[in-house]
Amino acid sequence: MPEPVLVPSTGGVTVTLHDLGGDGPDVLLCHPTGFHALMWGPVAEELQGVAHCWAPDLRGHGDTPPPPDGDMDWRGARDDVLAVSDHLGVRGGLAVGHSMGGAALLMAEQLRPGTFARLWVYEPIVFPRPEGGGDRVSNPLAESARRRRARFPSRDTAYANYAAKPPLSGLDPAALRAYVDHGFRDVPDDQAVELKCLPAVEAATFEAGGGAGAFEGLGGVEAEVVVAAGGDGAPPAQMASLVVRALPHARLERHDALTHFGPMEDPPAIAAAIRTALGLG
């Protein structure tokens, strides 16, 4: 794999952009909260013959540090998407996003219409404003994130831990391997490995309110959008139909056998859906 490219963004952040390779039009792949760009590897491998895949580590995730002021507002992730798009010369491009990554793409298209022509987004976290207004909403996932174990003796120990219990036990083994291999950094002094996206950063990302405030602007998104949703009945899946109705040019796509982690659970099926939605090959 080529060395990643460093792309300046807003708020003092430099985004790490990974070239996942392939032949065909450029396709941008954006990850969810708490994960990182290289988890798209199994999907990108399925798309090798029809697309050239690029995946950024959004701020605070993977090899992209959080902003110096610690503000994890998702408008920063939107800015990271736009910075990477500018670097690649994207105009009327193709992109894929999962959860936070899907929200960041929709927010980028709202701010700069025409950046993307087609989007495939899996359960984008773009919710209506909470009653009483404001951009930030309470998120119980934040406290769960804070309780996450940040260190393990080795990557293999971490893999065995995650593979033994849900929700990560449901991931495709190659996706889980990518999460562990590239989502931890070595801590030589302690002979350990540590999450690159630390629990406090993941919690701050959840607390930033996701795409709250972006929902009301969905009517201005002119790109063709496929909103995909799993069948677990959780709030992100329930919201998918509302997002579709708010978008001018969108359709709903169901993956009833998958959960909110769908793109990491069945990469071949997800790649096939992306190929169809984006008109690849």
Side-chain angles (χ1 to χ4, degrees):
M1 185 183 300
E3 285 295 311
V5 180
L6 301 182
V7 180
S9 185
T10 60
V13 171
T14 298
V15 177
T16 301
L17 175 63
H18 300 271
D19 181 351
L20 302 185
D23 297 315
D26 289 336
V27 176
L28 194 62
L29 307 172
C30 297
H31 65 79
T33 300
F35 293 94
H36 58 78
L38 292 176
M39 289 201 70
W40 283 109
V43 171
E45 190 171 336
E46 297 283 338
L47 296 173
Q48 287 292 296
V50 295
H52 187 157
C53 294
W54 299 84
D57 283 324
L58 301 174
R59 59 186 60 202
H61 295 73
D63 293 322
T64 299
D69 64 5
D71 186 358
M72 294 301 297
D73 190 291
W74 286 18
R75 284 168 285 203
R78 171 203 67 191
D79 293 348
D80 295 345
V81 165
L82 289 172
V84 166
S85 298
D86 287 345
H87 174 81
L88 295 175
V90 170
R91 187 68 185 171
L94 307 174
V96 169
H98 178 189
S99 194
M100 175 184 70
L105 291 172
L106 291 169
M107 294 167 75
E109 183 61 21
Q110 288 179 36
L111 186 65
R112 195 183 299 172
T115 299
F116 303 108
R118 292 182 180 178
L119 298 173
W120 185 92
V121 291
Y122 189 96
E123 297 189 2
I125 308 302
V126 184
F127 290 178
R129 288 182 187 273
E131 196 169 326
D135 284 340
R136 299 185 181 246
V137 297
S138 173
N139 194 318
L141 293 175
E143 284 309 310
S144 177
R146 281 198 173 85
R147 293 193 298 269
R148 290 193 65 193
R149 181 177 174 182
R151 289 192 178 192
F152 291 87
S154 68
R155 286 175 176 80
D156 286 343
T157 304
Y159 182 93
N161 177 76
Y162 293 137
K165 56 189 178 184
L168 298 190
S169 59
L171 269 55
D172 176 85
L176 181 57
R177 192 77 246 181
Y179 173 58
V180 171
D181 286 351
H182 303 290
F184 283 82
R185 63 172 60 88
D186 293 326
V187 187
D189 292 345
D190 292 343
Q191 295 184 327
V193 295
E194 179 180 67
L195 283 167
K196 291 179 179 179
C197 180
L198 291 171
V201 174
E202 183 179 0
T205 308
F206 284 127
E207 288 172 337
F215 184 89
E216 290 72 20
L218 290 176
V221 174
E222 289 299 318
E224 295 179 17
V225 184
V226 173
V227 179
D232 61 7
Q238 294 175 23
M239 284 298 304
S241 59
L242 289 181
V243 173
V244 168
R245 288 199 290 272
L247 288 163
H249 312 290
R251 66 176 176 86
L252 182 64
E253 178 180 280
R254 290 287 185 187
H255 295 268
D256 289 336
L258 303 179
T259 74
H260 185 61
F261 295 97
M264 311 168 198
E265 293 171 334
D266 192 347
I270 293 301
I274 291 169
R275 183 170 179 162
T276 298
L278 300 186
L280 298 169

